[in-house]
Amino acid sequence: MTRYVITPNETPSLAIHGDDARFPLRRVFCVGRNYSEHAREMGHDPDREPPFFFMKPADAVVPAEGVIAYPPLTADLHHEVELVVAIGKGGVDIAPEDALAHIWGYGLGIDLTRRDLQAQAKKASRPWEWAKAFDESAPCTALQPVSAVGHPVSGRIWLKVNGEQRQVGDLADQIWSVIEVISHASKSVALKAGDLIFTGTPAGVGALQPGDVVTAGIDGLAELSFTLGQG
C-alpha cells in the first residue's frame, strides 16, 4: 500500500443521473471558439482556425446547482454554456469513425471566464489559466450515459440570466463535431477514462453579477439552475 506524507485529496467526481455511483474526473479539456457566431463576436474568423484547447483542473468542476461563488480578481465574469462529453475509454490518435466508442456520456456545463483577466493575458501574450482555471469555474450537471441519451448531434442549447435570454444556438452549429474534437485532441495527448471535454459555446456570452440566477439547457439532455454568490 502506498504511504503518502500528506493526506491525498478526494478524487473529483460528477453525479450520474438516476444512479448513486459517480463518475471520477481526471482532466478537463475545453474547446475554444467552436461556434461560428461566437468566434466572430470574439473577433476571429472561424473559417481559418483549427480547434484549439485549454484546460481547467478537475476540482473546478462543481454541481451546477445552489450557489456558485463569484470569484475574486475580476469585475467581468462571463457565462459560456456548453455540451460536456465524458470519456469512458482512453486512446491515442483516435480516428473520427472510432470516437463514439470512447464516450461514456454527456452533460451540460458552464465555462465561467474572468474575461478581464483573459483580455490582459492576451494583450501580454501570457497563458489564460487565471482567467479560466479558478475555483468553481466549471459548474456541470449530472452526467447522462450514452445508453440513456444516445449521441446528441443537434438540439437547442440555451442560457438565460434572471429569465432573460442570453445565449441560444444548436449543437449542429458546432464548427468541429464531437467526434472531430475527440480525434483532434487525441493526436496531441492521450485521452483517458475520466476526462471531460467542454465542447464550446454559442454566441451571446456576457457578464454576470452577484445575485444573478443562471438557467440553461440542452433540449432532450439536461437543464441547470444556480445562483451566483456575492463577491
Side-chain angles (χ1 to χ4, degrees):
M1 179 180 294
T2 302
R3 187 172 66 88
Y4 298 100
V5 297
I6 60 173
T7 302
N9 292 317
E10 183 178 350
T11 299
S13 63
L14 268 175
I16 297 170
H17 184 75
D19 197 328
D20 59 2
R22 297 185 67 84
F23 187 87
L25 301 179
R26 176 179 174 264
R27 290 179 172 178
V28 181
F29 301 94
C30 303
V31 184
R33 299 195 291 266
N34 198 25
Y35 288 76
S36 297
E37 292 305 312
H38 174 58
R40 292 188 181 99
E41 77 178 347
M42 299 302 289
H44 298 271
D45 184 347
D47 297 325
R48 297 184 179 179
E49 295 182 350
F52 72 93
F53 298 84
F54 57 92
M55 296 182 66
K56 292 176 181 270
D59 62 4
V61 179
V62 294
E65 60 190 28
V67 177
I68 302 296
Y70 192 97
L73 302 180
T74 185
D76 195 20
L77 179 70
H78 279 212
H79 56 76
E80 301 186 15
V81 62
E82 312 202 8
L83 172 71
V84 177
V85 178
I87 300 297
K89 182 177 73 171
V92 176
D93 200 15
I94 299 167
E97 59 268 25
D98 298 328
L100 293 183
H102 293 261
I103 299 173
W104 186 91
Y106 296 88
L108 169 67
I110 308 293
D111 168 16
L112 293 174
T113 302
R114 295 192 280 203
R115 193 71 75 198
D116 43 1
L117 299 192
Q118 186 184 39
Q120 293 167 18
K122 288 179 178 179
K123 186 176 181 180
S125 299
R126 292 175 178 172
W128 288 5
E129 274 84 356
W130 250 219
K132 290 285 192 178
F134 52 91
D135 297 338
E136 300 188 12
S137 62
C140 191
T141 65
L143 297 175
Q144 293 264 22
V146 168
S147 60
V149 296
H151 294 286
V153 295
S154 63
R156 189 174 66 110
I157 178 172
W158 57 271
L159 180 142
K160 297 180 180 180
V161 178
N162 302 325
E164 175 188 354
Q165 191 81 62
R166 290 280 191 89
Q167 293 183 264
V168 63
D170 195 287
L171 298 179
D173 296 334
Q174 291 181 333
I175 298 170
W176 297 88
S177 68
V178 167
I179 61 175
E180 291 169 327
V181 165
I182 290 172
S183 178
H184 191 88
S186 71
K187 295 180 188 305
S188 180
V189 298
L191 295 180
K192 293 189 177 182
D195 289 342
L196 291 184
I197 303 176
F198 280 60
T199 59
T201 195
V205 301
L208 294 168
Q209 303 299 325
D212 281 348
V213 176
V214 177
T215 54
I218 295 176
D219 291 354
L221 177 65
E223 293 190 3
L224 62 79
S225 178
F226 63 84
T227 300
L228 204 60
Q230 298 299 315

